[in-house]
């Protein structure tokens, strides 16, 4: 097999995991857009999604097609509880305080998973089949291909909803100016809840896809760190940015992991982060914040 | 006695500042003479605060020059200007809420102090000496002068609006000002507080001899205490002179009240597309 | 009840401790510190040393995050830099441990300045994320720069050398660590009586107007990073002498979250808060261990559950304090003080 073919295969795999990164980044963006909170616990909710699915499909032997929506709903439920129970109490506190609350939440969730399931990695029951997919001569793992298709579909649906659905418009209005949106009769607290529920459900879904590819473990939240970089590179409040930067980072990680060695994956991502912060802090598509005296 | 600080002369020469296509300041020139009080007035959105932000270095004007005792400071970094003797107060009080009144005032002296990080960690010796000198000076020259003895150890967040404004003035005085920029020093104050503040400003001019440039909407106070008035409208100087003269100027009256003539009003609105919304 | 305190001189008015009661508390505390090693058993001495190390590092983070308002999730990585420096020096040179620890602090301070450079462009959450990035890059360096860091195996640390004596027992290390930590805490308290500390607080409260008031932002932000990571480096150096081995797993992001939790729980922007928070958070696992031991007859594999319970407890403490007591334990202490000052008139 030629080197070029190999390169294309690596790139395709990169796009596949990039789509998952985009999907996870979408969870960050959704929550940030509505509530101006960077929810670091998205990483851990992603992990919870994987474990919920594991518990339902492997532990309770449910059909994967029943377990899948239930696990996603479980992620949404965590979002709802956290938003109503904690985040809403923090309204008006500095963004940093709320950020640190989500750091605490992440720690609690990791602890819970270790408490219940231990620290050993687990494999999710197979629900996708294993026959590889070929595009022409190019081999792609079936799971990565499925992850790519699903993530792309979900992102496309989100983009459409943002533009045309009433709720999406309400979200954009809230993102632009909370007080103005409120006085226009938009149910801002409702938008907050919805963003957290949908965001966390999305993360949980991404977690199941990720778990299907590489198994689940209490440290799989590290994937969320890469997704966080995606959000920063794309722009915290930009869905489009999440999409583009996700694929970009996915490619970079795949290339770095293949040609430099696995240990270079995460570090190359974070070097991109630092460079981006220095050169263009608000990301490729993010809104620049203007400071005033 | 207080270290004598020679009042400075400030010259604004053909200054222009725009945000995108919006001209906030358009070719403005005026002088502030040493040891005088100059008032910068004009309707909302005339460019007064933008002017102040240019002078203290927060905005970089596209054209023109700001000269401080003849020296061009248009591109000088704000902290350096502070060290040269620019001191200012802010329209929306910018006190440090996590500090006491005394610490806020002492902060003003920052640029003139020398304690380095190692001396600060050790405290005893250089740092302590410098801090004690500062404390004594602040107590003698500023706290007594502005009659804020009773609140010195209070956190600023606990103070009334009028007192906060006074603490801001105190902090600006601690900066060893050679020119004092006051952005709406009496905005939102009641009659009594306004009179107190006007008295303090006059006292600063007389006892400290500092050059003062202020933006203010309270016409009564402006007319009472300023030596010279510059009127801005839509980013341009429309009148200047003694308070009495400016008050009579038809341009100024028109700018504040709007002329009765609808045609003139339309013309002004059309001109408004190139005039500035006041930024910040 | 106390009416007011009057001081005769400005020096007395600006002292760290202004009242006799405060001096009495300090005297008592000093007495406890001196008596402790003679009273405590080895296990508690071990904990006391650990508390001293963590207090030093938390105080450093408090300077950066609590006082300057720059949130950092890199304190663990800075400690690692100090620890690696000390480990390397202890193997390659026979220098006294104080010199090595100082070197650890200085190298960490240098790295801290590098990590602080993004604060030129970004602040707030973005900076916090940049520090996560820096931690991960440092972690990568520790793992892959094998010739210096020992790679995945890490480095062993030779015992601390104090004028020819090796400090190996917890009793000896206690006498080495506690004075260092006390000095560092006093230094931090001093900082905030001078122009440097005021500049830090000004940057936290309103950084743009601070600049107009004569504070060069970048220089002071970097200075805060340098001081904070110097503290972390020294703490990391003590850590190295304490555990006698350093590896890439020694300081993960969890360690950084631990220190952030310590200052949140103790009280950000309060020296007392840093001390109390670090002490409390160091002892929490021990309290949990005690609880787990009580439960062990009834629960199988209770020991294995200790680590997850600790993780949950850390997270929960961060959340609870941020929601219900954002000023931390230091604020609770203040409230108790006020209560006694006003007693019996206002209860």
């Amino acid at each position: 097999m030629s080197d070029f073919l190999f390169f294309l295969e690596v790139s395709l795999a990169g796009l596949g995991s990039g789509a998952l990164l985009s999907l996870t980044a979408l969870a960050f963006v959704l929550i940030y857009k509505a509530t101006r909170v960077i929810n670091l616990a998205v990483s851990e909710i992603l992990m919870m999604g994987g474990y919920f699915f594991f518990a339902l499909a492997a532990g309770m032997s449910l059909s994967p097609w029943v377990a899948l929506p239930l696990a996603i709903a479980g992620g949404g439920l965590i979002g709802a509880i956290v938003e109503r129970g904690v985040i809403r109490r923090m309204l008006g506190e500095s963004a940093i305080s709320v950020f640190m609350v989500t750091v605490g939440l992440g720690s609690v969730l990791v602890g819970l998973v270790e408490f219940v399931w231990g620290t050993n990695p687990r494999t999710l029951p197979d629900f996708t089949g294993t026959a590889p997919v070929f595009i022409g001569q190019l081999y792609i793992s079936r799971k990565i291909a499925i992850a790519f298709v699903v993530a792309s579909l979900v992102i496309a649906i989100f983009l459409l909803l943002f533009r045309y659905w009433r709720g999406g418009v309400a979200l954009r209005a809230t993102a632009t100016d909370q007080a103005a949106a409120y006085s226009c009769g938009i149910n801002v607290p409702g938008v907050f809840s919805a963003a957290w529920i949908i965001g966390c459900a999305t993360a949980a879904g991404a977690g199941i896809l990720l778990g299907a590819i590489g198994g689940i473990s209490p440290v799989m939240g590290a994937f969320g760190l890469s997704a966080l970089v995606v959000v920063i590179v794309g722009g915290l409040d930009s869905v489009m940015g999440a999409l583009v930067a996700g694929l970009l980072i996915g490619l970079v990680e795949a290339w770095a992991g293949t040609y430099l060695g696995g240990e270079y994956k995460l570090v190359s991502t974070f070097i991109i982060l630092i460079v981006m912060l220095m050169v263009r802090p608000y990301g490729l598509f993010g809104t620049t914040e203007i400071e005033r005296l | 006695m207080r270290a004598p600080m020679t009042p400075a002369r400030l010259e604004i020469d053909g200054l222009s500042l725009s945000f995108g296509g919006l001209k906030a300041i358009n070719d403005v020139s005026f002088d502030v003479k040493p040891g005088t009080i100059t008032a910068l007035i004009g309707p909302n959105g005339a460019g007064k605060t933008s002017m102040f932000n240019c002078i203290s270095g927060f905005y970089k004007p596209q054209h023109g020059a700001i000269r401080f005792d003849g020296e061009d400071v248009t591109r000088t970094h704000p902290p350096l200007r502070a060290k040269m003797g620019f001191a200012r107060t802010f329209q929306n009080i910018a006190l440090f809420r996590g500090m006491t009144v005394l610490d806020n005032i002492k902060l003003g002296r920052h640029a003139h102090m020398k304690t380095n990080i190692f001396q600060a960690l050790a405290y005893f010796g250089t740092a302590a000496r410098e801090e004690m000198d500062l404390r004594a000076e602040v107590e003698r020259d500023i706290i007594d002068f502005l009659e804020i003895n009773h609140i010195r150890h209070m956190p600023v967040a606990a103070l009334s609006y009028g007192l906060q404004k006074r603490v801001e003035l105190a902090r600006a005085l601690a900066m060893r000002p050679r020119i004092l920029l006051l952005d709406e020093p009496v905005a939102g104050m009641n009659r009594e507080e306004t009179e107190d503040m006007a008295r303090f400003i006059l006292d600063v001019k007389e006892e400290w001899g500092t050059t003062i440039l202020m933006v203010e909407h309270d016409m009564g106070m402006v007319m009472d205490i300023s030596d010279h008035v510059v009127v801005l409208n839509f980013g341009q100087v429309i009148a200047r002179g003694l308070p009495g003269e400016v008050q009579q100027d038809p341009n100024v009256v028109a700018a504040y009240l709007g002329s009765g003539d609808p045609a003139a009003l339309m013309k002004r609105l059309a001109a408004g597309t190139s005039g500035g919304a006041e930024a910040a | 009840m106390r009416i007011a305190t009057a001081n005769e001189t400005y020096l007395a008015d600006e002292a760290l401790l202004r009242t006799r009661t405060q001096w009495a508390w300090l005297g008592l505390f000093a007495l406890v510190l001196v008596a402790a090693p003679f009273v405590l058993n080895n296990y508690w001495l071990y904990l006391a040393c650990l508390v001293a190390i963590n207090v030093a590092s938390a105080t450093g983070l408090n300077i950066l995050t609590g006082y300057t308002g720059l949130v950092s999730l890199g304190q663990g990585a800075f400690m690692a830099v100090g620890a690696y420096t000390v480990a390397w020096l202890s193997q390659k040179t026979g220098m006294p441990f104080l010199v090595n620890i100082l070197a650890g602090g200085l190298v960490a301070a240098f790295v801290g300045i590098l990590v602080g450079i993004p604060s030129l462009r970004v602040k707030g959450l973005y900076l916090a994320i940049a520090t996560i990035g820096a931690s991960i890059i440092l972690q990568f360096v520790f793992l892959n720069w094998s010739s210096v860091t020992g790679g995945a195996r890490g480095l062993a640390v030779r015992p601390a050398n104090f004028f020819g004596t090796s400090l190996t027992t917890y009793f000896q290390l206690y006498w080495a660590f506690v004075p260092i930590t006390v000095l560092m805490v006093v230094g931090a308290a001093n900082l905030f009586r001078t122009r440097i500390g005021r500049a830090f607080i000004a940057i936290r409260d309103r950084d743009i107007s601070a600049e107009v008031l004569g504070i060069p932002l970048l220089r002071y932000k970097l200075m805060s990073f340098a001081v904070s990571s110097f503290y972390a480096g020294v703490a990391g150096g003590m850590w190295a002498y304490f555990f006698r081995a350093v590896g890439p797993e020694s300081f993960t992001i969890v360690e950084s979250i631990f220190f952030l939790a310590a200052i949140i729980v103790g009280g950000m922007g309060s020296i007392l808060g840093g001390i109390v928070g670090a002490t409390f958070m160091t002892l929490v696992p021990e309290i949990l261990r005690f609880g787990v031991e009580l439960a062990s007859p009834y629960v199988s594999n209770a020991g294995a559950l200790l680590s997850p319970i600790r993780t949950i407890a850390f997270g929960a403490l961060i959340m609870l304090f941020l929601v219900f007591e954002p000023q931390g334990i230091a604020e609770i202490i203040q409230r108790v003080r006020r209560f006694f000052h006003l007693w019996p008139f206002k209860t």
Side-chain angles (χ1 to χ4, degrees):
Chain A
M1 186 172 65
S2 76
D3 284 348
F4 182 68
L5 214 57
F6 180 64
F7 172 79
L8 282 183
E9 279 180 356
V10 169
S11 304
L12 276 177
L15 286 178
S17 67
L20 272 184
L21 280 173
S22 295
L23 194 59
T24 314
L26 195 66
F28 280 105
V29 171
L30 211 58
I31 291 171
Y32 181 81
K33 253 176 121 71
T35 56
R36 301 279 136 183
V37 172
I38 294 184
N39 177 11
L40 204 67
V42 159
S43 319
E44 280 74 26
I45 288 162
L46 172 128
M47 170 195 75
M48 291 305 289
Y51 274 94
F52 280 151
F53 182 80
F54 176 78
L56 292 165
M60 300 168 66
S61 316
L62 293 178
S63 147
W65 305 109
V66 180
L68 196 67
L70 283 179
I72 291 175
L77 185 68
I78 296 180
I81 294 170
V82 170
E83 198 275 331
R84 286 308 292 266
V86 185
I87 302 298
R88 198 162 301 174
R89 290 169 187 273
M90 301 286 295
L91 213 64
E93 298 279 337
S94 77
I96 296 286
S97 302
V98 189
F99 171 75
M100 291 190 295
V101 166
T102 68
V103 172
L105 174 65
S107 184
V108 169
L109 292 177
V110 169
L112 278 176
V113 163
E114 289 182 357
F115 189 87
V116 179
W117 289 284
T119 52
N120 292 331
R122 313 275 178 125
T123 16
L124 290 188
D126 177 62
F127 60 101
T128 55
T130 46
V133 178
F134 283 95
I135 301 178
Q137 281 181 287
L138 296 175
Y139 158 85
I140 320 166
S141 136
R142 182 184 184 85
K143 284 170 179 163
I144 288 181
I146 288 175
F148 181 80
V149 172
V150 172
S152 313
L153 272 178
V154 173
I155 291 169
I157 292 170
F158 269 114
L159 278 172
L160 288 176
L161 285 182
F162 270 150
R163 199 150 298 268
Y164 299 111
W165 179 49
R166 273 185 53 218
V169 177
L171 178 85
R172 280 192 290 149
T174 308
T176 315
D177 188 333
Q178 283 177 9
Y182 200 65
S183 55
C184 289
I186 288 171
N187 178 2
V188 172
V191 171
F192 280 17
S193 291
W196 272 79
I197 292 171
I198 299 172
C200 292
T202 310
I208 299 169
L209 290 172
L210 185 70
I213 295 171
I216 53 174
S217 79
V219 294
M220 73 188 277
F223 184 80
L225 281 181
S226 294
L228 186 61
V229 176
V230 167
V231 185
I232 301 284
V233 171
L236 266 175
D237 54 356
S238 163
V239 178
M240 205 54 203
L243 181 65
V244 174
L247 296 178
L248 196 77
I249 300 279
L251 279 176
V252 170
E253 285 198 347
W255 292 332
T258 310
Y259 293 103
L260 297 174
E263 70 270 28
Y264 284 87
K265 264 174 90 167
L266 203 56
V267 80
S268 55
T269 310
F270 276 87
I271 288 172
I272 294 177
L273 169 81
I274 302 277
V275 171
M276 197 64 191
L277 284 176
M278 294 300 292
V279 179
R280 211 183 143 89
Y282 297 102
L284 296 171
F285 299 91
T287 321
T288 314
E289 282 168 37
I290 300 164
E291 287 193 289
R292 291 176 183 285
L293 264 183
Chain B
M1 203 37 228
R2 184 185 310 128
M5 282 159 279
T6 46
R9 166 189 293 275
L10 184 74
E11 293 158 280
I12 309 295
D13 187 3
L15 211 65
S16 296
L17 171 76
S18 45
F19 299 103
L22 205 72
K23 280 193 174 152
I25 302 172
N26 190 3
D27 194 22
V28 169
S29 302
F30 62 87
D31 283 8
V32 181
K33 293 191 182 58
T36 65
I37 298 181
T38 301
L40 195 57
I41 64 169
N44 283 327
K48 306 181 298 290
T49 295
S50 295
M51 194 73 226
F52 256 46
N53 284 341
C54 284
I55 298 174
S56 55
F58 185 60
Y59 292 158
K60 303 269 173 282
Q62 281 88 3
H63 301 286
I66 299 163
R67 276 188 287 275
F68 183 72
D69 271 350
E71 189 181 338
D72 190 337
V73 296
T74 323
R75 308 258 160 240
T76 308
H77 197 46
L80 248 144
R81 291 190 213 211
K83 194 163 186 176
M84 294 171 77
F86 283 80
R88 77 170 279 185
T89 65
F90 298 84
Q91 191 177 345
N92 320 304
I93 302 177
L95 289 170
F96 300 103
R97 302 178 68 80
M99 287 191 239
T100 63
V101 168
L102 194 57
D103 277 340
N104 263 282
I105 299 173
K106 284 181 182 168
L107 184 95
R109 183 57 57 86
H110 183 89
H112 296 284
M113 296 175 78
K114 301 206 163 45
T115 301
N116 65 31
I117 181 75
F118 304 105
Q119 293 161 337
L121 288 166
Y123 191 72
F124 286 98
T126 322
R129 221 173 305 124
E130 195 177 43
E131 289 297 323
M132 287 315 117
D133 289 348
L134 171 62
R135 175 78 192 269
E137 195 184 317
V138 163
E139 290 283 347
R140 188 182 62 223
D141 294 341
I142 296 173
I143 293 196
D144 283 349
F145 176 71
L146 292 178
E147 299 162 17
I148 45 179
N149 314 53
H150 55 300
I151 55 167
R152 62 161 81 80
H153 285 305
M154 280 168 73
V156 287
L159 301 179
S160 72
Y161 184 77
L163 276 176
Q164 290 196 17
K165 283 262 181 194
R166 209 187 290 179
V167 174
E168 246 206 335
L169 177 63
R171 186 179 64 190
L173 288 178
M175 293 175 77
R176 292 208 168 132
R178 296 185 58 216
I179 181 160
L180 192 57
L181 307 164
L182 305 174
D183 198 350
E184 305 203 10
V186 301
M189 287 191 178
N190 63 31
R191 197 69 242 155
E192 194 188 341
E193 287 171 331
T194 302
E195 279 166 12
D196 280 347
M197 185 54 90
R199 179 165 56 84
F200 288 129
I201 295 173
L202 271 178
D203 284 351
V204 169
K205 174 185 132 177
E206 265 144 37
E207 289 186 29
W208 295 53
T210 312
T211 310
I212 296 171
L213 176 64
M214 68 174 181
V215 164
E216 187 47 66
H217 280 295
D218 185 320
M219 281 312 130
M221 182 210 173
V222 167
M223 296 307 156
D224 279 351
I225 70 169
S226 30
D227 301 303
H228 192 77
V229 178
V230 175
V231 189
L232 284 184
N233 196 22
F234 294 121
Q236 287 176 308
V237 178
I238 57 165
R240 67 183 84 208
L242 298 174
E245 298 167 5
V246 165
Q247 223 166 359
Q248 307 302 324
D249 192 305
N251 279 331
V252 177
V253 176
Y256 268 89
L257 302 177
S259 58
D261 177 6
L265 193 64
M266 291 310 290
K267 231 167 74 188
R268 274 185 47 212
L269 284 174
T273 50
S274 65
E278 198 161 19
Chain C
M1 112 160 227
R2 175 182 298 144
I3 310 287
T5 42
N7 287 302
E8 308 252 317
T9 63
Y10 294 136
L11 193 62
D13 196 40
E14 302 217 342
L16 285 176
L17 302 175
R18 299 201 192 93
T19 65
R20 246 180 241 162
T21 333
Q22 284 172 326
W23 277 105
W25 278 112
L26 183 75
L28 191 66
F29 183 61
L31 211 64
V32 170
L33 280 187
V34 172
F38 300 102
V39 181
L40 298 179
N41 66 24
N42 219 28
Y43 172 70
W44 283 98
L45 267 177
Y46 159 88
L47 280 180
C49 290
L50 205 56
V51 165
I53 294 168
N54 288 341
V55 165
S57 186
T59 302
L61 184 63
N62 212 351
I63 292 174
L64 183 68
T65 300
Y67 282 101
T68 321
L70 305 171
V71 177
S72 164
L73 280 164
Q75 195 71 356
F78 296 141
M79 275 182 87
V81 171
Y84 270 109
T85 309
V86 163
W88 191 83
L89 286 173
S90 84
Q91 286 193 349
K92 307 280 167 182
T93 71
M95 284 196 294
F97 87 102
L98 274 177
V99 176
N100 289 351
I101 279 184
L102 194 67
L106 291 176
V107 174
F110 174 73
V111 174
I113 291 174
L114 289 185
V115 173
I117 286 176
S119 64
L120 173 72
R121 292 295 304 270
V122 298
K123 58 187 184 187
L125 292 170
Y126 287 90
L127 187 64
I129 292 164
T131 60
I132 299 181
S135 308
I136 285 173
I137 293 171
L138 281 172
Q139 192 76 19
F140 175 81
V141 172
F142 297 143
L143 200 57
N144 291 288
W145 193 15
S146 306
S147 59
V148 172
T149 62
R153 282 184 302 117
L155 295 174
V157 184
R158 306 253 302 273
N161 162 15
F162 185 72
F163 294 110
T165 326
S166 290
L167 309 181
T168 47
T169 66
Y170 294 144
F171 182 84
Q172 288 167 321
L173 288 171
Y174 179 94
W175 289 111
F177 293 170
V178 169
I180 293 176
T181 297
V182 167
L183 266 180
M184 286 165 70
V185 168
V186 172
N190 281 338
L191 206 55
F192 295 96
R193 305 200 269 168
T194 68
R195 72 173 196 138
I196 312 257
R198 285 194 296 269
F200 287 171
I201 299 174
I203 289 171
R204 177 191 70 193
D205 285 359
R206 276 170 186 275
D207 63 350
I208 318 173
S209 39
E211 190 166 41
V212 175
L213 289 164
I215 297 162
L217 291 186
L218 184 63
R219 186 196 305 172
Y220 277 86
K221 284 180 178 176
L222 291 184
M223 197 189 287
S224 187
F225 262 103
V227 175
S228 166
S229 40
F230 176 82
Y231 274 57
V234 170
M238 295 195 279
W239 192 97
Y241 279 128
F242 190 60
F243 290 104
R244 303 280 302 281
V246 183
E249 296 300 311
S250 309
F251 299 94
T252 57
I253 197 96
V254 176
E255 203 72 10
S256 297
I257 295 176
F258 170 88
F259 286 106
L260 200 58
I263 61 169
I264 290 170
V265 169
M268 288 203 279
S270 152
I271 297 291
L272 181 65
I275 302 170
V276 175
T279 309
F280 181 73
M281 292 303 277
T282 313
L283 297 181
V284 162
E286 303 311 315
I287 299 166
L288 293 176
R289 189 198 304 276
F290 183 68
V292 168
E293 271 163 20
L294 280 186
S296 57
Y298 314 102
V299 185
S300 61
N301 79 333
L305 295 180
L306 184 62
S307 161
I309 291 176
R310 190 181 338 187
T311 313
I312 295 172
F314 280 170
L317 279 170
I318 296 180
M319 292 173 74
L320 288 174
F321 269 91
L322 280 171
V323 174
F324 296 109
E325 196 62 64
Q327 309 288 314
I329 301 176
E331 174 62 24
I332 299 176
I333 296 175
Q334 289 299 328
R335 271 209 295 276
V336 173
R337 265 186 71 195
R338 273 199 296 278
F339 174 83
F340 282 107
H341 287 174
L342 299 174
W343 192 82
F345 292 108
K346 186 171 175 253
T347 53

